[in-house]
Amino acid sequence: MNRLIRLFVTSFVLCSAFVLFMGCPSGKKNSNAPQTDQDFSQLISSEETSEAQTDAETPASIQPVLVFLQGSVSIQRSGKALSAAEGLLLEAGDIISTGNDGSAEIAYGSFATLRLFPRTTVSLLVLISRAIDHADRDVADLSLLAGTVAAKVKKLASRDEFLVLTPNSAAGVRGTQFVVSYEEPIRKNGTITRTERTLVAVREGAVAVLPKGRLLSSLIDGRQANPLAGAVVSTAIALAPKAGPGQEITVGGRETAAGSLEDEALLNNAESAYGALVRQAEEFQARGTDFEAVQDPVAVLAIPDSEIERSFAKLSRTLPALLLSEQSRFLLDVLDRMREPGGNTSVLPAGLPERYFIPKGNTGEKGDTKTSVQPQNFPGLVYAVPLSSTTLTGMISRSGDTILLLDSKGNLYGIDQGGTLLWSQPALVTFTALDASVALVESQNLKLVEAKKGTVKGTYSFNSWQALPQAKPVPIPNGIALATPRGVTILRQENAEVMAEIPVLGGVIAPLVLADSQLLAVSGQGRLVFIDIKSGRISDEVALDLKADVLTPRVKDNRAYIATKGGRLLAIDVAAYRMLWDIQLEQGIGSEPELDGDRIYLWLQDKTLVSLSVHNGSVIGKPIPDVQSPPLLSKGRLYWGGSGPSLVVADAATGTILKRSPLPDMVSARPLFVDGTIYLGTKGGKFIRIDTDKL
């Protein structure tokens, strides 16, 4: 609640400040002001130059015209219905809607061509034409209220503007082919289960995408009357996150209450950046800069390496441009059926084929069609089985042919690869998959169960050697190693009988890890203890001052990498018993490291993925944002759950995103890769199987 109040107060203050300068005349040069505006003399053109350019060529009209109709299309003007017909001239303020079987194409002369998909509503907000209004630029603002619109926009002149607005975003275009889709929030029993969502997908050129709240809305609405507002909007679009050819950006579309808070935080950060830009523009205006005469406000306001530029760079990391999903490619295909700006016909027949329309009988509650016009397409999906009423967590594991998943309530599920539930076990703390069995850790016992049937093979009860509940048992040759408050207990894999007890001073406070013939254990004294399995004795110790927040260590090439939830990462030479390096990250670490060649991959608590050098822990490349689940590393590829929801595939060496495929639910557990198949666990408790060959 306090966060919401702070967001409201911040937005109110920024909007109030904007209203004050909107009500004032445009800033003029002050003879008493410092002569700082001399630096921008090359940006200011005289009226004579402007008039000479106007006389040089006769501008073409961008009056929008309805050039194609298909199925049911309705038009409203000033609250009255108009008859939709090809050749109808449209005006600013017109609202055009298409039905389940409807589609329409609008031509803005040689400026742009728009295509409305079925079940789409748009409002023509602003229309300024050189030819009609004797203006110095062409401007067209379109508001997408529902559905999907595709656009072909010619390369614009420097002062021309084309904006596509949705309730939660603003897309700025300089000349491109793209699609924008908007979906309202999804509610269930009065609660939002998925926030409103805008998708911007690009075939050619580039589209700038900004989250839109009260301040940006006010700036956009007032930019024609107030040059300062126009300068701020132009600069924000220039600095905004951008989708280029073959990429898409999604604003919103998050699930659950936590998702709503993430959307809120994103908007708060964006509005703060806009507010800082407004204040900077006001400072320039107070010193004499006349934004009405400035030809390129971006060159004035976008100061390199400034706090404003860094805030927009952070916004770009939060709204990443990803590779096109299958759904986006499907939407972009409609561009082939549209005429080029200024053309008379399209290359293909303009009518949409049946696949763009909602199948008959596909209706939502109370008979009202609620389904999106695009078919729900999940490439490679084999099945999505509802498994739990709560979130699936941790790492998906496998014992033989049985897949193992744990939910947030401690219920473990054993499922075959066909998606059939074999057995379940309640009230667990953790588990470890063995070759043909599973070690289950309960609050007072460790149980060994047969993986296919879930039958109990043996039980070890915690008495004076109580095991650490958070620690997974570790398989070792012919046994299981269990961390305890007194040290390490070795059990038989067949029946959980005690084979050996190894005392460690201070006990063991973190998960164990096997490195060749040694067990590595973090003691209660913060030391890394090396235990020889054959002799059952401690061979060496390294003082590291570790705490109880250690994640499961990883070992590769005689090095152990130990990460803590607090953001510390250490590298240990397990052959020489010495620390190689020790670093502290700014963010906490959310899961165990993944290792590949010369790189360490860490999933941070701010939902970013970073790559570090195994040699010294230095960061390699830029962090990857929007990583919603712990990542899986397999055969040079990284797999994780992204927003949307989606499955994201990236090249491990470069971090380049190779694929982003839609999913029926948000991924929450670390995936499992088996023979070309990926298994996923989701926030909604679904068990999903994906065939990677069909992605």
Side-chain angles (χ1 to χ4, degrees), residues 318-377:
T318 312
L319 280 180
L322 304 176
L323 291 182
L324 294 173
S325 64
E326 290 297 322
Q327 183 186 22
S328 294
R329 292 192 187 96
F330 168 79
L331 296 175
L332 288 168
D333 284 347
V334 80
L335 291 164
D336 296 328
R337 296 179 173 270
M338 295 168 53
R339 66 186 66 195
E340 296 296 324
N344 294 323
T345 58
S346 61
V347 178
L348 296 176
L352 299 184
E354 285 186 7
R355 64 195 183 105
Y356 285 94
F357 299 100
I358 300 174
K360 292 182 179 180
N362 191 1
T363 58
E365 298 178 0
K366 300 180 181 180
D368 182 24
T369 304
K370 296 294 183 185
T371 308
S372 171
V373 297
Q374 302 85 29
Q376 194 75 320
N377 184 20

Side-chain angles (χ1 to χ4, degrees), residues 30-49:
N30 186 343
S31 59
N32 296 323
Q35 297 301 311
T36 53
D37 57 302
Q38 295 297 322
D39 296 336
F40 309 122
S41 59
Q42 69 274 18
L43 303 174
I44 302 175
S45 63
S46 65
E47 293 182 2
E48 290 80 9
T49 302

